Amino acid sequence: MTSIALFGAGGKMGARLAKNLLGSPFEVRHVEVSEAGQKRLKDELGVTCCSVDDALKGVDAVILAVPDTLIGRIAADISPKLAAGTMVITLDAAAPFAGHLPK
């Protein structure tokens, strides 16, 4: 089964993705730091969040549904924890072109 770590899962766009991924054939690991976002996920979708380390263990893809200003920092923090070939997807299409992602 393909596993996805969804960062920012309780935010505006993250919650939409989380909802759309419910019932999909993917194992989704929800990562949300804010208490309000965690509550939204639990109350509206019945899902719980996990730690960054748990979300990244053996993950196939990472979706960064986080504010544009945090993409670079989060990507730099998680990149050493990712296996070679792990796909990282950002919702900010300009981030890679602006040099905000680690090499």
Side-chain angles (χ1 to χ4, degrees):
M1 174 183 294
T2 301
S3 57
I4 300 171
L6 178 57
F7 281 67
K12 187 169 128 181
M13 291 305 296
R16 288 180 188 166
L17 288 168
K19 182 177 181 181
N20 288 337
L21 289 166
L22 279 179
S24 73
F26 306 109
E27 174 198 352
V28 181
R29 303 169 188 176
H30 302 85
V31 179
E32 176 58 51
V33 297
S34 79
E35 288 184 28
Q38 291 175 8
K39 184 175 181 348
R40 179 182 306 117
L41 288 169
K42 180 106 170 128
D43 293 349
E44 294 178 16
L45 304 178
V47 298
T48 57
C49 296
C50 63
S51 71
V52 170
D53 288 338
D54 286 343
L56 296 178
K57 286 181 188 168
V59 72
D60 298 300
V62 177
I63 301 174
L64 298 177
V66 298
D68 297 351
T69 56
L70 298 177
I71 288 175
R73 191 189 86 205
I74 292 171
D77 288 346
I78 68 169
S79 65
K81 300 175 182 179
L82 299 175
T86 302
M87 182 183 301
V88 178
I89 303 161
T90 68
L91 300 186
D92 176 8
F97 298 106
H100 294 284
L101 298 179
K103 303 279 185 224

Coordinates of all heavy atoms in Angstrom, one line a residue:
M1 N 0.8 -1.2 0.0 CA 0.0 0.0 0.0 C 0.9 1.2 0.0 O 1.9 1.3 0.7 CB -0.9 0.0 1.2 CG -1.7 1.3 1.4 SD -2.7 1.4 2.8 CE -3.9 0.2 2.6
T2 N 0.5 2.2 -0.8 CA 1.3 3.5 -0.8 C 0.9 4.3 0.4 O -0.3 4.5 0.7 CB 0.9 4.2 -2.1 OG1 1.2 3.4 -3.3 CG2 1.7 5.5 -2.2
S3 N 1.9 4.8 1.0 CA 1.7 5.7 2.2 C 2.1 7.1 1.9 O 3.0 7.4 1.2 CB 2.6 5.2 3.4 OG 3.9 5.1 3.0
I4 N 1.2 8.0 2.4 CA 1.4 9.5 2.2 C 1.4 10.1 3.6 O 0.6 9.9 4.4 CB 0.2 10.0 1.4 CG1 0.1 9.4 0.1 CG2 0.3 11.6 1.3 CD1 -1.2 9.7 -0.7
A5 N 2.5 11.0 3.8 CA 2.5 11.8 5.0 C 2.0 13.2 4.5 O 2.5 13.9 3.7 CB 3.9 12.0 5.5
L6 N 0.9 13.6 5.1 CA 0.2 14.9 4.8 C 0.5 15.9 5.9 O -0.1 15.8 7.0 CB -1.3 14.7 4.7 CG -2.1 15.9 4.4 CD1 -1.7 16.6 3.1 CD2 -3.6 15.5 4.3
F7 N 1.4 16.8 5.6 CA 1.8 17.8 6.6 C 0.9 19.0 6.4 O 0.5 19.4 5.3 CB 3.3 18.3 6.3 CG 4.3 17.4 6.9 CD1 4.5 16.1 6.3 CD2 5.1 17.8 7.9 CE1 5.4 15.3 6.9 CE2 6.1 17.0 8.4 CZ 6.2 15.7 7.9
G8 N 0.5 19.6 7.5 CA -0.5 20.7 7.5 C -1.9 20.1 7.3 O -2.8 20.8 6.8
A9 N -2.1 18.9 7.7 CA -3.4 18.2 7.5 C -4.6 18.9 8.0 O -5.7 18.7 7.5 CB -3.3 16.8 8.0
G10 N -4.5 19.7 9.1 CA -5.6 20.4 9.7 C -5.9 21.8 9.2 O -6.8 22.4 9.6
G11 N -5.0 22.3 8.3 CA -5.2 23.6 7.8 C -6.2 23.6 6.7 O -6.9 22.6 6.3
K12 N -6.4 24.8 6.1 CA -7.4 25.0 5.1 C -7.3 24.0 3.9 O -8.2 23.2 3.6 CB -7.4 26.4 4.5 CG -8.5 26.8 3.6 CD -8.5 28.3 3.4 CE -8.4 28.6 1.9 NZ -8.4 30.0 1.7
M13 N -6.1 24.0 3.2 CA -5.9 23.1 2.1 C -5.6 21.7 2.6 O -6.1 20.7 1.9 CB -4.8 23.6 1.2 CG -5.1 24.9 0.5 SD -6.6 24.8 -0.5 CE -6.1 23.6 -1.7
G14 N -4.9 21.5 3.7 CA -4.6 20.2 4.2 C -5.9 19.4 4.5 O -6.0 18.2 4.3
A15 N -6.9 20.1 5.1 CA -8.1 19.5 5.5 C -8.9 19.0 4.3 O -9.5 18.0 4.3 CB -9.0 20.4 6.4
R16 N -8.8 19.8 3.2 CA -9.5 19.4 2.0 C -8.8 18.2 1.4 O -9.5 17.3 0.9 CB -9.4 20.6 0.9 CG -10.3 21.7 1.3 CD -10.1 22.8 0.2 NE -10.9 24.0 0.6 CZ -10.7 25.2 0.0 NH1 -9.9 25.3 -1.0 NH2 -11.4 26.2 0.5
L17 N -7.5 18.2 1.4 CA -6.8 17.0 0.9 C -7.1 15.8 1.8 O -7.4 14.7 1.3 CB -5.3 17.2 0.9 CG -4.8 18.1 -0.2 CD1 -3.4 18.5 0.1 CD2 -5.0 17.5 -1.5
A18 N -7.1 16.0 3.1 CA -7.4 14.9 4.0 C -8.8 14.3 3.8 O -9.0 13.1 3.7 CB -7.3 15.3 5.5
K19 N -9.8 15.2 3.5 CA -11.1 14.7 3.3 C -11.2 13.9 1.9 O -11.8 12.9 1.8 CB -12.1 15.9 3.2 CG -13.5 15.5 3.0 CD -14.4 16.7 3.0 CE -15.9 16.3 2.8 NZ -16.8 17.5 2.8
N20 N -10.5 14.5 0.9 CA -10.5 13.8 -0.4 C -9.8 12.5 -0.4 O -10.1 11.6 -1.2 CB -9.9 14.7 -1.4 CG -10.8 15.9 -1.8 OD1 -12.0 15.9 -1.6 ND2 -10.2 17.0 -2.3
L21 N -8.8 12.3 0.5 CA -8.1 11.1 0.6 C -8.8 10.0 1.5 O -8.3 8.8 1.5 CB -6.7 11.3 1.1 CG -5.7 12.0 0.1 CD1 -4.5 12.6 0.8 CD2 -5.4 11.1 -1.1
L22 N -9.8 10.4 2.2 CA -10.5 9.4 3.0 C -11.1 8.4 2.1 O -11.7 8.7 1.0 CB -11.7 10.1 3.8 CG -11.3 10.8 5.1 CD1 -12.6 11.4 5.7 CD2 -10.7 9.9 6.1
G23 N -11.0 7.1 2.4 CA -11.6 6.1 1.6 C -10.7 5.7 0.4 O -11.1 4.9 -0.4
S24 N -9.6 6.4 0.2 CA -8.7 6.1 -0.9 C -7.9 4.8 -0.6 O -7.9 4.4 0.6 CB -7.8 7.3 -1.2 OG -6.8 7.4 -0.2
P25 N -7.2 4.3 -1.6 CA -6.4 3.1 -1.3 C -5.1 3.5 -0.6 O -4.2 2.6 -0.5 CB -6.2 2.5 -2.7 CG -6.3 3.7 -3.6 CD -7.3 4.6 -3.0
F26 N -4.9 4.7 -0.3 CA -3.6 5.2 0.3 C -3.7 5.1 1.8 O -4.7 5.4 2.4 CB -3.2 6.6 -0.1 CG -3.2 6.7 -1.6 CD1 -4.2 7.4 -2.3 CD2 -2.2 6.1 -2.4 CE1 -4.2 7.5 -3.7 CE2 -2.2 6.2 -3.8 CZ -3.2 6.9 -4.4
E27 N -2.5 4.9 2.5 CA -2.4 5.0 3.9 C -2.0 6.4 4.1 O -0.9 6.8 3.7 CB -1.4 4.0 4.5 CG -1.1 4.3 6.0 CD 0.2 3.6 6.4 OE1 0.8 2.9 5.7 OE2 0.6 3.9 7.6
V28 N -2.8 7.3 4.8 CA -2.5 8.7 5.0 C -2.1 8.9 6.4 O -2.8 8.5 7.3 CB -3.7 9.6 4.6 CG1 -3.3 11.0 4.8 CG2 -4.1 9.3 3.2
R29 N -1.0 9.5 6.6 CA -0.5 9.8 8.0 C -0.6 11.3 8.1 O 0.2 12.1 7.5 CB 1.0 9.3 8.1 CG 1.1 7.8 7.8 CD 2.6 7.5 7.7 NE 2.7 6.1 7.3 CZ 3.9 5.5 7.0 NH1 5.0 6.2 7.2 NH2 3.9 4.3 6.6
H30 N -1.5 11.7 9.0 CA -1.8 13.1 9.1 C -0.8 13.8 10.1 O -0.7 13.3 11.3 CB -3.2 13.3 9.6 CG -4.2 12.7 8.7 ND1 -4.5 11.4 8.7 CD2 -4.9 13.2 7.6 CE1 -5.4 11.1 7.8 NE2 -5.6 12.2 7.1
V31 N -0.2 14.9 9.7 CA 0.7 15.6 10.6 C 0.1 17.1 10.7 O 0.0 17.7 9.7 CB 2.1 15.7 10.0 CG1 3.0 16.5 10.9 CG2 2.7 14.3 9.8
E32 N -0.2 17.5 11.9 CA -0.7 18.8 12.2 C -0.2 19.3 13.6 O -0.4 18.6 14.5 CB -2.2 18.8 12.2 CG -2.9 20.1 12.5 CD -2.4 21.3 11.6 OE1 -2.5 21.1 10.4 OE2 -2.0 22.3 12.2
V33 N 0.5 20.5 13.6 CA 1.0 20.9 14.9 C 0.0 21.7 15.7 O 0.1 21.7 16.9 CB 2.3 21.8 14.7 CG1 3.4 20.9 14.1 CG2 2.0 23.0 13.8
S34 N -0.9 22.4 15.1 CA -1.9 23.2 15.9 C -3.0 22.4 16.5 O -3.5 21.4 15.9 CB -2.5 24.3 15.0 OG -3.5 23.8 14.2
E35 N -3.3 22.8 17.7 CA -4.4 22.1 18.4 C -5.7 22.2 17.7 O -6.5 21.3 17.6 CB -4.5 22.6 19.9 CG -3.3 22.1 20.7 CD -3.5 22.5 22.2 OE1 -4.6 22.7 22.6 OE2 -2.4 22.7 22.8
A36 N -5.9 23.4 17.1 CA -7.2 23.7 16.4 C -7.3 22.8 15.2 O -8.4 22.2 14.9 CB -7.3 25.2 16.0
G37 N -6.2 22.6 14.5 CA -6.2 21.8 13.3 C -6.4 20.3 13.7 O -7.1 19.6 13.0
Q38 N -5.7 19.9 14.8 CA -5.9 18.5 15.2 C -7.4 18.2 15.6 O -7.9 17.2 15.3 CB -5.0 18.2 16.4 CG -3.5 18.2 16.1 CD -2.6 18.1 17.3 OE1 -3.1 17.9 18.4 NE2 -1.3 18.2 17.1
K39 N -8.0 19.2 16.3 CA -9.4 19.1 16.7 C -10.3 19.0 15.4 O -11.2 18.2 15.4 CB -9.8 20.2 17.6 CG -11.2 20.1 18.1 CD -11.5 21.3 19.1 CE -12.8 21.3 19.7 NZ -13.8 20.5 19.2
R40 N -10.0 19.9 14.4 CA -10.8 19.9 13.2 C -10.8 18.5 12.5 O -11.8 18.0 12.1 CB -10.3 20.9 12.2 CG -11.0 21.0 10.9 CD -10.5 22.0 9.9 NE -10.4 23.3 10.6 CZ -9.3 24.0 10.8 NH1 -8.1 23.5 10.4 NH2 -9.3 25.2 11.3
L41 N -9.6 17.9 12.4 CA -9.4 16.6 11.8 C -10.2 15.5 12.6 O -10.9 14.7 12.0 CB -8.0 16.2 11.7 CG -7.1 17.0 10.7 CD1 -5.7 16.7 10.9 CD2 -7.6 16.6 9.3
K42 N -10.1 15.6 13.9 CA -10.8 14.6 14.7 C -12.3 14.7 14.6 O -13.0 13.8 14.4 CB -10.3 14.7 16.2 CG -11.0 13.8 17.1 CD -10.0 12.7 17.5 CE -10.5 11.9 18.7 NZ -10.5 10.5 18.4
D43 N -12.8 16.0 14.8 CA -14.2 16.2 14.8 C -14.9 16.1 13.5 O -16.0 15.5 13.4 CB -14.5 17.7 15.3 CG -14.1 17.9 16.8 OD1 -13.8 16.9 17.5 OD2 -14.1 19.0 17.2
E44 N -14.2 16.6 12.4 CA -14.9 16.6 11.1 C -14.6 15.3 10.3 O -15.4 14.9 9.5 CB -14.4 17.8 10.3 CG -14.9 19.1 10.9 CD -14.4 20.3 10.1 OE1 -14.0 20.2 9.0 OE2 -14.5 21.4 10.7
L45 N -13.4 14.7 10.5 CA -13.1 13.6 9.7 C -12.8 12.3 10.4 O -12.7 11.2 9.9 CB -11.8 13.9 8.8 CG -11.9 15.1 7.9 CD1 -10.6 15.3 7.2 CD2 -13.0 15.0 6.9
G46 N -12.7 12.4 11.8 CA -12.5 11.2 12.6 C -11.1 10.7 12.5 O -10.9 9.5 12.7
V47 N -10.1 11.5 12.1 CA -8.8 11.0 12.0 C -7.9 11.7 13.1 O -8.2 12.8 13.6 CB -8.2 11.3 10.6 CG1 -8.9 10.6 9.5 CG2 -8.1 12.8 10.3
T48 N -6.9 11.0 13.5 CA -5.9 11.5 14.5 C -4.6 11.7 13.8 O -4.3 11.2 12.7 CB -5.7 10.5 15.6 OG1 -5.3 9.2 15.1 CG2 -7.0 10.3 16.4
C49 N -3.8 12.6 14.4 CA -2.5 13.0 13.9 C -1.4 12.1 14.5 O -1.6 11.5 15.5 CB -2.2 14.4 14.2 SG -3.4 15.5 13.3
C50 N -0.3 12.1 13.8 CA 0.9 11.4 14.3 C 2.1 12.3 14.3 O 2.0 13.4 13.7 CB 1.2 10.1 13.5 SG 1.6 10.4 11.8
S51 N 3.2 11.9 14.9 CA 4.4 12.7 15.0 C 5.1 12.7 13.6 O 4.8 11.9 12.8 CB 5.3 12.1 16.0 OG 5.9 10.9 15.5
V52 N 5.9 13.7 13.4 CA 6.7 13.8 12.2 C 7.5 12.5 11.9 O 7.5 11.9 10.8 CB 7.6 15.0 12.2 CG1 8.6 15.0 11.0 CG2 6.8 16.3 12.3
D53 N 8.2 12.0 13.0 CA 9.0 10.8 12.8 C 8.2 9.6 12.4 O 8.6 8.8 11.5 CB 9.8 10.5 14.1 CG 11.0 11.5 14.3 OD1 11.4 12.2 13.3 OD2 11.4 11.7 15.4
D54 N 7.0 9.4 13.1 CA 6.2 8.3 12.7 C 5.6 8.4 11.3 O 5.5 7.5 10.6 CB 5.0 8.2 13.7 CG 5.4 7.6 15.1 OD1 6.5 7.1 15.2 OD2 4.7 7.8 16.0
A55 N 5.3 9.7 10.9 CA 4.7 9.9 9.6 C 5.7 9.6 8.5 O 5.4 9.1 7.4 CB 4.2 11.3 9.4
L56 N 7.0 9.8 8.8 CA 8.0 9.6 7.7 C 8.6 8.3 7.6 O 9.3 8.0 6.6 CB 9.1 10.7 8.0 CG 8.7 12.1 7.8 CD1 9.9 13.0 8.1 CD2 8.1 12.4 6.5
K57 N 8.4 7.4 8.6 CA 8.9 6.0 8.6 C 8.4 5.2 7.4 O 7.2 4.9 7.3 CB 8.6 5.3 9.8 CG 9.4 5.7 11.0 CD 9.0 4.9 12.3 CE 9.7 5.6 13.5 NZ 9.1 5.0 14.7
G58 N 9.3 5.0 6.4 CA 8.9 4.2 5.2 C 7.9 4.8 4.3 O 7.2 4.1 3.6
V59 N 7.7 6.1 4.4 CA 6.7 6.8 3.6 C 7.1 6.8 2.1 O 8.2 6.9 1.8 CB 6.4 8.2 4.2 CG1 7.5 9.2 3.9 CG2 5.1 8.8 3.7
D60 N 6.1 6.7 1.3 CA 6.3 6.8 -0.2 C 6.2 8.2 -0.7 O 6.9 8.5 -1.7 CB 5.3 5.9 -0.9 CG 5.4 4.5 -0.5 OD1 6.4 3.9 -0.7 OD2 4.4 3.9 0.0
A61 N 5.4 9.0 -0.1 CA 5.2 10.4 -0.6 C 4.9 11.3 0.5 O 4.3 10.9 1.5 CB 4.1 10.5 -1.7
V62 N 5.3 12.6 0.4 CA 5.0 13.6 1.4 C 4.3 14.8 0.7 O 4.8 15.2 -0.4 CB 6.3 14.1 2.1 CG1 6.0 15.3 3.0 CG2 7.1 13.0 2.7
I63 N 3.2 15.2 1.2 CA 2.6 16.4 0.7 C 2.7 17.5 1.8 O 2.3 17.3 2.9 CB 1.1 16.1 0.5 CG1 0.9 15.0 -0.6 CG2 0.4 17.4 0.0 CD1 -0.6 14.6 -0.8
L64 N 3.3 18.6 1.3 CA 3.5 19.8 2.2 C 2.4 20.8 2.0 O 2.5 21.7 1.1 CB 4.8 20.4 2.0 CG 6.0 19.5 2.2 CD1 7.3 20.3 1.9 CD2 6.1 19.1 3.7
A65 N 1.3 20.6 2.7 CA 0.1 21.5 2.6 C 0.2 22.5 3.8 O -0.6 22.6 4.6 CB -1.2 20.7 2.7
V66 N 1.4 23.2 3.7 CA 1.7 24.2 4.8 C 1.8 25.6 4.2 O 1.9 25.7 3.0 CB 3.1 23.7 5.5 CG1 2.9 22.4 6.1 CG2 4.2 23.8 4.5
P67 N 1.8 26.6 5.1 CA 2.0 28.0 4.6 C 3.3 28.1 3.8 O 4.3 27.5 4.1 CB 2.0 28.8 5.8 CG 1.3 28.0 6.9 CD 1.6 26.6 6.5
D68 N 3.2 28.9 2.7 CA 4.3 29.1 1.8 C 5.6 29.5 2.5 O 6.7 29.0 2.2 CB 4.0 30.1 0.7 CG 2.9 29.7 -0.2 OD1 2.4 28.6 -0.1 OD2 2.4 30.6 -0.9
T69 N 5.5 30.2 3.6 CA 6.6 30.7 4.3 C 7.3 29.6 5.1 O 8.5 29.8 5.6 CB 6.3 31.9 5.3 OG1 5.2 31.4 6.2 CG2 5.8 33.1 4.5
L70 N 6.7 28.5 5.3 CA 7.3 27.4 6.1 C 7.8 26.2 5.2 O 8.5 25.3 5.7 CB 6.2 26.8 7.0 CG 5.7 27.8 8.1 CD1 4.6 27.1 8.9 CD2 6.8 28.3 9.0
I71 N 7.5 26.3 3.9 CA 7.9 25.1 3.1 C 9.4 24.8 3.1 O 9.8 23.7 3.3 CB 7.4 25.4 1.6 CG1 5.9 25.2 1.5 CG2 8.1 24.4 0.7 CD1 5.3 25.6 0.2
G72 N 10.2 25.9 3.0 CA 11.7 25.7 3.0 C 12.2 25.1 4.2 O 13.0 24.1 4.2
R73 N 11.7 25.6 5.4 CA 12.2 25.1 6.7 C 11.8 23.7 6.9 O 12.6 22.8 7.3 CB 11.7 26.0 7.8 CG 12.4 25.7 9.1 CD 11.8 26.4 10.3 NE 10.7 25.5 10.7 CZ 9.6 26.0 11.4 NH1 9.5 27.2 11.6 NH2 8.7 25.1 11.7
I74 N 10.5 23.4 6.6 CA 10.0 22.0 6.9 C 10.7 21.0 5.9 O 11.1 20.0 6.3 CB 8.5 22.0 6.7 CG1 7.8 22.8 7.9 CG2 8.0 20.5 6.7 CD1 6.3 23.0 7.7
A75 N 10.8 21.4 4.7 CA 11.5 20.5 3.7 C 12.9 20.2 4.1 O 13.4 19.1 4.1 CB 11.5 21.1 2.3
A76 N 13.6 21.3 4.6 CA 15.0 21.1 5.1 C 15.1 20.1 6.3 O 16.0 19.3 6.5 CB 15.7 22.4 5.4
D77 N 14.1 20.3 7.2 CA 14.0 19.5 8.4 C 13.7 18.0 8.1 O 14.3 17.1 8.7 CB 12.9 20.0 9.4 CG 13.3 21.3 10.1 OD1 14.5 21.7 10.0 OD2 12.4 21.9 10.7
I78 N 12.9 17.7 7.1 CA 12.5 16.3 6.9 C 13.3 15.6 5.9 O 13.4 14.4 5.9 CB 11.0 16.2 6.5 CG1 10.7 16.9 5.1 CG2 10.1 16.8 7.5 CD1 9.4 16.6 4.5
S79 N 14.0 16.4 5.0 CA 14.8 15.7 3.9 C 15.8 14.7 4.4 O 15.9 13.6 3.8 CB 15.4 16.7 3.0 OG 16.4 17.5 3.6
P80 N 16.5 14.9 5.5 CA 17.5 13.9 5.9 C 16.8 12.6 6.4 O 17.4 11.6 6.5 CB 18.2 14.5 7.1 CG 18.0 16.0 7.0 CD 16.6 16.1 6.3
K81 N 15.5 12.7 6.7 CA 14.7 11.5 7.2 C 14.1 10.7 6.1 O 13.5 9.7 6.4 CB 13.7 12.0 8.2 CG 14.3 12.8 9.4 CD 13.2 13.3 10.3 CE 13.8 14.1 11.5 NZ 12.8 14.7 12.3
L82 N 14.1 11.2 4.9 CA 13.5 10.5 3.8 C 14.4 9.5 3.1 O 15.5 9.8 2.9 CB 12.9 11.6 2.8 CG 12.0 12.6 3.3 CD1 11.6 13.6 2.2 CD2 10.7 11.9 3.8
A83 N 13.8 8.4 2.7 CA 14.5 7.4 1.9 C 14.7 8.0 0.5 O 13.8 8.8 0.0 CB 13.8 6.1 1.9
A84 N 15.7 7.5 -0.2 CA 15.9 7.9 -1.6 C 14.7 7.5 -2.4 O 14.1 6.4 -2.2 CB 17.1 7.2 -2.1
G85 N 14.2 8.4 -3.3 CA 13.1 8.1 -4.1 C 11.7 8.5 -3.5 O 10.7 8.4 -4.2
T86 N 11.7 9.0 -2.3 CA 10.5 9.5 -1.7 C 10.0 10.8 -2.4 O 10.8 11.7 -2.6 CB 10.6 9.8 -0.2 OG1 11.1 8.6 0.5 CG2 9.3 10.3 0.4
M87 N 8.8 10.8 -2.9 CA 8.3 12.0 -3.6 C 7.8 13.0 -2.6 O 7.2 12.7 -1.6 CB 7.1 11.6 -4.5 CG 6.5 12.7 -5.3 SD 5.1 12.3 -6.3 CE 5.8 11.0 -7.3
V88 N 8.2 14.3 -2.8 CA 7.8 15.4 -2.0 C 7.0 16.4 -2.9 O 7.5 16.8 -3.9 CB 9.0 16.1 -1.3 CG1 8.5 17.3 -0.5 CG2 9.8 15.2 -0.5
I89 N 5.8 16.6 -2.5 CA 4.9 17.5 -3.3 C 4.6 18.7 -2.5 O 4.2 18.6 -1.3 CB 3.6 16.7 -3.6 CG1 3.9 15.4 -4.3 CG2 2.6 17.6 -4.3 CD1 2.8 14.4 -4.3
T90 N 4.7 19.9 -3.1 CA 4.3 21.1 -2.4 C 3.1 21.7 -3.1 O 2.9 21.5 -4.3 CB 5.4 22.2 -2.5 OG1 5.6 22.6 -3.8 CG2 6.7 21.6 -1.9
L91 N 2.3 22.4 -2.4 CA 1.1 23.1 -3.0 C 1.5 24.5 -3.5 O 0.8 25.1 -4.3 CB 0.0 23.3 -1.9 CG -0.5 22.0 -1.4 CD1 -1.7 22.3 -0.5 CD2 -0.9 21.0 -2.4
D92 N 2.7 24.9 -3.2 CA 3.3 26.2 -3.7 C 4.2 25.8 -4.9 O 5.3 25.4 -4.7 CB 4.1 26.9 -2.6 CG 4.8 28.2 -3.1 OD1 4.5 28.6 -4.3 OD2 5.6 28.7 -2.4
A93 N 3.6 26.0 -6.1 CA 4.4 25.6 -7.3 C 5.6 26.4 -7.5 O 6.6 26.0 -8.2 CB 3.5 25.7 -8.5
A94 N 5.7 27.6 -6.9 CA 6.9 28.4 -7.1 C 8.1 28.0 -6.2 O 9.2 28.4 -6.5 CB 6.5 29.9 -6.9
A95 N 7.8 27.3 -5.1 CA 8.9 27.0 -4.1 C 10.1 26.4 -4.7 O 11.2 26.8 -4.5 CB 8.3 26.2 -3.0
P96 N 9.9 25.3 -5.6 CA 11.1 24.7 -6.1 C 11.9 25.7 -7.0 O 13.1 25.7 -7.0 CB 10.6 23.5 -6.9 CG 9.2 23.3 -6.5 CD 8.7 24.6 -5.9
F97 N 11.2 26.4 -7.8 CA 11.8 27.4 -8.8 C 12.5 28.5 -8.1 O 13.4 29.1 -8.6 CB 10.8 27.9 -9.8 CG 10.2 26.8 -10.6 CD1 9.0 26.3 -10.4 CD2 11.0 26.1 -11.6 CE1 8.4 25.3 -11.2 CE2 10.5 25.1 -12.3 CZ 9.2 24.6 -12.1
A98 N 12.0 28.9 -6.9 CA 12.6 30.0 -6.1 C 13.8 29.5 -5.2 O 14.3 30.3 -4.5 CB 11.5 30.6 -5.2
G99 N 14.1 28.2 -5.3 CA 15.2 27.7 -4.5 C 14.9 27.5 -3.0 O 15.8 27.4 -2.2
H100 N 13.6 27.3 -2.7 CA 13.2 27.1 -1.3 C 13.4 25.7 -0.8 O 13.2 25.4 0.4 CB 11.8 27.6 -1.1 CG 11.6 29.1 -1.2 ND1 12.1 30.0 -0.3 CD2 11.1 29.8 -2.3 CE1 11.8 31.2 -0.8 NE2 11.2 31.1 -1.9
L101 N 13.6 24.8 -1.7 CA 13.7 23.4 -1.3 C 15.1 22.9 -1.3 O 15.9 23.4 -2.1 CB 12.9 22.5 -2.3 CG 11.4 22.8 -2.4 CD1 10.8 21.9 -3.4 CD2 10.7 22.6 -1.1
P102 N 15.5 22.0 -0.4 CA 16.8 21.5 -0.3 C 17.2 20.7 -1.6 O 16.3 20.2 -2.2 CB 16.9 20.6 0.9 CG 15.4 20.4 1.3 CD 14.6 21.4 0.6
K103 N 18.4 20.7 -2.0 CA 18.8 20.0 -3.2 C 18.7 18.5 -2.9 O 18.5 17.7 -3.6 CB 20.3 20.3 -3.5 CG 20.5 21.7 -3.7 CD 20.1 22.1 -5.1 CE 20.5 23.6 -5.3 NZ 19.5 24.4 -5.9

